[in-house]
Amino acid sequence: MPMSIKSMIVCGCVAAVVVSTAACSPRRIPPMTVSDLMEDRVALDGVLMKCNRDTEKARQDSDCLNARIAIERLAARVDPAVEAKRAEDFERSREQLRIAEDKKRQEEESKAKKVDAYHLPVIPVDPTPPPKDPQSPTVSQTNP
């Protein structure tokens, strides 16, 4: 079956259209990996800003998912030296506060007059006198 010139021209045009559309379409940029985002903080901030702007698209976008994972991993990563220094500073400030409060308490105690209950003067207490009302039940019981 010999090909006619018309069919060769049609096939050539179809091939040209396919090649031109493939060449003109933009290349798909692969999504950034979590480790790439963790290393490049500027790109991570850019991806997060894009995701925050379009929340509907952000739910399905792999860049947004990877950015969230990178943020969680960065937040979980704690440098032991920094944590140890933070704990040391906290203990030092707590000790200084305790010393200052002890000093303040001692000054207040020294200013206050101390009362020794064992050396107070003894004051006699008189019993209460009985009521003098003739109608009271205690008086009528004593005088039958």
Side-chain angles (χ1 to χ4, degrees):
M1 289 204 266
M3 267 186 120
S4 67
I5 295 188
K6 282 185 177 181
S7 63
M8 287 184 9
I9 292 174
V10 169
C11 286
C13 289
V14 168
V17 168
V18 169
V19 169
S20 66
T21 56
C24 293
S25 65
R27 286 186 180 173
R28 173 149 167 69
I29 299 172
M32 294 186 76
T33 63
V34 174
S35 60
D36 291 339
L37 289 170
M38 287 175 67
E39 291 172 6
D40 189 5
R41 301 283 178 96
V42 175
L44 178 61
D45 289 340
V47 170
L48 287 174
M49 284 175 46
K50 178 186 81 168
C51 295
N52 289 340
R53 229 180 308 137
D54 188 12
T55 56
E56 197 62 36
K57 181 182 173 188
R59 291 188 183 143
Q60 293 89 15
D61 193 15
S62 61
D63 278 339
C64 295
L65 297 174
N66 289 344
R68 286 192 197 105
I69 294 170
I71 287 292
E72 289 174 3
R73 287 186 185 170
L74 285 172
R77 186 189 304 176
V78 177
D79 187 15
V82 171
E83 189 64 31
K85 182 170 178 5
R86 185 178 300 138
E88 182 183 322
D89 291 343
F90 172 75
E91 289 297 327
R92 188 180 318 111
S93 64
R94 186 171 79 170
E95 184 67 20
Q96 288 173 351
L97 180 64
R98 186 189 64 77
I99 290 171
E101 287 180 354
D102 282 347
K103 241 186 219 181
K104 183 179 175 183
R105 183 179 45 81
Q106 288 174 356
E107 287 174 2
E108 288 176 358
E109 286 178 359
S110 66
K111 288 179 185 177
K113 193 174 189 181
K114 292 184 180 179
V115 177
D116 186 12
Y118 294 107
H119 294 94
L120 289 175
V122 179
I123 301 173
V125 178
D126 294 331
T128 58
K132 296 181 180 180
D133 185 21
Q135 300 296 331
S136 75
T138 55
V139 173
S140 64
Q141 288 175 358
T142 56
N143 295 330

